[in-house]
């Protein structure tokens, strides 16, 4: 049977200290030792199962990390205080002064700003390439390239990476392939298609209630341990640690992810299909008209669908803004960045989450002014939502 990430989460069994059905929360920053020798050995990383200090690791963070590793099918995982905390620590662990990165050109705005504006201070340069073309990715590689980085489904243009093709290139050149899977949890399991490291912003679909920020790095034991090394680990030394209480609450939300993702996908597919029939410029990987549709299908866990993210180009920024305000007034969702909430969220990426990208480059990659990015919610009656959205559009001449 095919790899099913939700089964892997379901099959984990953790009890609390008193037989509780949830694991106990570790509400401590530091841990006592019966012997000074054990404390020294733990510091040196030689005692598995001992806890030292919660920036290094804590039981609650390990529970959440192991559940996410099970979901992605990697050996283990480290949770972090945000998605950016995962992305920056992985990058700085893999790269040093003089290193080079090949990155997708449509990536999350914060990731783009980090690579474009921040890393050059440390003499780390990035080539931003069209990730849908394995030939262009391979051509951008130099003898200094340490990391190929992209999103499985990209923000905000929903381009689809061919993970198998990219992993073959990465292996041929002995480079680490890092995939941000924030837009497609469960739907795609990148490590099953050759990714070395899988990152998520837990802030989005995985937590799903827009009440916190968090991140995770899923990978091999060696790599995750190296991130936590007290002397040289970017995760440990840069300090992007998740709080234990938050790890416990995200773990509880993770358990319903498979039900939520199915509904997000079903609703997004319904709206995208309708809008396409109406002749609108809609982008959704579940539509056959999407240039990455076949690639996504090839690497999809079909039960979970093509995800909850969709874009609609309504022609101009003025129209996009008017439509978003109107939809919010009619309670169809919120004009807000982020994704994965029970309500639909919408924003104009050119002026919000991708505003770090210069206008000229936005044009080049097809990020137009009239583009609205939707994170489709868990609406019970999506046909009713569609009718209400159409009424908003009609009233505004969109
Ligand atoms: C939100 C997001 C991030 C950053 O995550 P934070 O939790 O906000 O730090 C990274 N990648 C993608 C694709 C995102 O959507």
């Amino acid at each position: 049977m095919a790899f099913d990430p939700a089964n892997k989460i379901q099959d984990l069994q953790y009890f609390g200290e008193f037989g509780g059905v949830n694991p106990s929360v570790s509400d401590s920053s530091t841990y006592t030792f019966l012997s000074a020798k054990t404390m020294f050995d733990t510091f040196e990383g030689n005692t598995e199962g001992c806890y030292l200090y919660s920036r290094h690791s804590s039981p609650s963070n390990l529970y959440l990390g192991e559940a996410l590793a099970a979901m992605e099918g990697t050996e283990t995982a480290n949770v972090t205080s945000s998605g950016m905390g995962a992305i920056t620590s992985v990058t700085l662990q893999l790269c040093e002064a003089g290193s080079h990165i090949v990155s997708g050109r449509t990536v999350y705005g914060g990731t783009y700003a980090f690579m474009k504006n921040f890393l050059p201070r440390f003499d780390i340069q990035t080539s931003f390439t069209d990730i849908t073309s394995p030939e262009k990715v391979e051509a951008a590689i130099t003898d200094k390239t340490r990391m190929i980085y992209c999103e499985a489904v990209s923000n905000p243009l929903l381009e689809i990476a061919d993970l198998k093709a990219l992993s073959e290139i990465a292996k041929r050149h002995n480079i680490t392939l890092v995939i941000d899977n924030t837009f497609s949890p469960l739907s795609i399991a990148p490590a099953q298609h050759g990714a070395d490291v899988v990152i998520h912003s837990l802030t989005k679909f995985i937590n799903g209630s827009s009440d916190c920020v968090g991140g995770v790095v899923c990978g091999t034991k060696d790599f995750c341990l190296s991130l936590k090394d007290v002397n040289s680990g970017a995760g440990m030394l840069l300090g992007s640690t998740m709080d234990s209480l938050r790890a416990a609450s995200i773990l509880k939300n993770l358990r319903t992810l498979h039900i939520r993702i199915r509904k997000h996908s079903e609703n997004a597919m319904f709206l995208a299909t309708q809008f396409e029939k109406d002749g609108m410029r809609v982008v959704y990987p579940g539509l056959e008209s999407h240039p990455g549709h076949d690639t996504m299908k090839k690497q999809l866990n079909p039960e979970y669908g093509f995800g909850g993210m969709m874009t609609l180009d309504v022609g101009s920024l003025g129209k996009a803004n008017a439509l978003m305000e109107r939809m919010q007034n009619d309670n169809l969702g919120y004009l807000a960045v982020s994704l994965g909430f029970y309500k639909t969220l919408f924003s104009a990426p050119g002026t919000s989450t991708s505003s770090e990208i210069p206008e000229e480059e936005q044009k080049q990659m097809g990020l137009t002014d009239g583009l609205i990015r939707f994170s489709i919610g868990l609406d019970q009656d999506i046909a009713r939502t569609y009718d209400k959205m159409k009424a908003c559009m009609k009233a505004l001449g969109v």
Side-chain angles (χ1 to χ4, degrees):
M1 204 191 119
F3 176 81
D4 190 314
N7 284 347
K8 302 277 176 194
I9 297 171
Q10 173 82 34
D11 290 347
L12 292 170
Q13 193 182 54
Y14 297 128
F15 298 108
E17 203 179 346
F18 304 102
V21 294
N22 288 302
S24 304
V25 180
S26 161
D27 198 19
S28 296
S29 58
T30 190
Y31 298 83
T32 59
F33 289 85
L34 290 177
S35 87
K37 167 90 171 58
T38 319
M39 179 186 252
F40 175 78
D41 288 345
T42 304
F43 218 92
E44 296 289 297
N46 297 330
T47 45
E48 204 160 321
C50 285
Y51 298 97
L52 177 74
Y53 182 62
S54 288
R55 176 154 44 77
H56 184 247
S57 72
S58 67
S60 300
N61 287 13
L62 287 193
Y63 288 133
L64 177 60
E66 288 316 304
L68 291 163
M71 178 182 93
E72 290 296 358
T74 58
E75 282 176 15
T76 189
N78 295 349
V79 295
T80 55
S81 56
S82 70
M84 285 309 296
I87 292 163
T88 53
S89 57
V90 164
T91 303
L92 291 170
Q93 192 69 19
L94 292 172
C95 297
E96 57 193 16
S99 296
H100 173 253
I101 297 167
V102 176
S103 169
R105 61 182 181 170
T106 68
V107 287
Y108 177 69
T111 309
Y112 181 86
F114 175 63
M115 289 176 180
K116 172 120 180 165
N117 306 329
F118 196 89
L119 288 178
R121 292 199 214 167
F122 305 98
D123 192 24
I124 298 169
Q125 309 296 332
T126 304
S127 299
F128 294 96
T129 52
D130 176 359
I131 211 73
T132 63
S133 161
E135 297 77 30
K136 287 185 188 158
V137 170
E138 187 152 31
I141 291 172
T142 72
D143 58 353
K144 301 269 197 274
T145 308
R146 293 290 168 269
M147 171 167 92
I148 298 176
Y149 180 94
C150 71
E151 294 162 4
V153 176
S154 83
N155 178 58
L157 294 179
L158 312 181
E159 291 178 338
I160 310 298
D162 185 334
L163 299 171
K164 190 155 171 285
L166 292 176
S167 85
E168 281 165 10
I169 293 170
K171 287 200 171 58
R172 202 154 50 237
H173 296 269
N174 201 20
I175 300 170
T176 306
L177 176 63
V178 179
I179 300 293
D180 180 336
N181 198 28
T182 302
F183 275 30
S184 39
L186 301 182
S187 297
I188 300 177
Q192 306 309 305
H193 305 282
D196 300 297
V197 178
V198 182
I199 287 174
H200 284 276
S201 166
L202 303 178
T203 315
K204 314 296 172 52
F205 287 103
I206 290 180
N207 184 60
S209 50
S210 294
D211 56 358
C212 72
V213 284
V216 69
V217 179
C218 306
T220 61
K221 274 194 178 140
D222 278 352
F223 183 66
C224 290
L225 272 180
S226 78
L227 281 169
K228 288 204 275 196
D229 189 292
V230 288
N231 294 306
S232 60
M236 180 69 181
L237 299 174
L238 298 176
S240 56
T241 311
M242 178 175 281
D243 183 74
S244 288
L245 295 174
R246 194 47 90 177
S249 81
I250 295 175
L251 178 62
K252 286 179 272 187
N253 286 4
L254 175 66
R255 294 167 180 157
T256 56
L257 181 66
H258 58 301
I259 301 168
R260 291 186 278 116
I261 289 288
R262 274 204 195 97
K263 190 66 176 165
H264 285 297
S265 291
E266 180 190 313
N267 285 353
M269 188 71 177
F270 180 90
L271 290 178
T273 305
Q274 295 296 325
F275 289 140
E276 184 167 66
K277 270 191 209 148
D278 296 340
M280 299 193 75
R281 275 181 285 172
V282 57
V283 172
Y284 181 66
L287 295 174
E288 274 172 31
S289 59
H290 189 288
H293 177 74
D294 290 337
T295 309
M296 178 127 179
K297 226 172 152 177
K298 208 170 63 175
Q299 53 202 20
L300 188 72
N301 290 314
E303 305 87 296
Y304 304 107
F306 291 84
M309 301 304 294
M310 181 190 96
T311 70
L312 208 54
D313 186 345
V314 296
S316 72
L317 182 61
K319 279 187 176 172
N321 289 344
L323 179 60
M324 290 190 293
E325 287 168 12
R326 178 97 186 197
M327 286 190 298
Q328 177 162 259
N329 282 335
D330 287 3
N331 203 7
L332 288 166
Y334 297 136
L335 205 181
V337 298
S338 201
L339 37 133
F341 199 37
Y342 81 104
K343 283 251 190 192
T344 294
L345 302 178
F346 34 79
S347 58
T351 54
S352 60
T353 58
S354 299
S355 58
E356 291 91 343
I357 303 172
E359 229 170 278
E360 192 51 39
E361 286 172 48
Q362 292 196 18
K363 272 211 190 95
Q364 264 181 24
M365 53 177 76
L367 228 176
T368 52
D369 269 354
L371 198 74
I372 302 176
R373 185 189 76 178
F374 287 85
S375 162
I376 303 300
L378 299 171
D379 309 27
Q380 158 62 17
D381 182 352
I382 196 68
R384 183 183 80 136
T385 304
Y386 168 74
D387 290 341
K388 287 189 180 181
M389 280 185 173
K390 286 305 280 186
C392 293
M393 290 168 185
K394 203 167 165 204
L396 296 166
V398 170

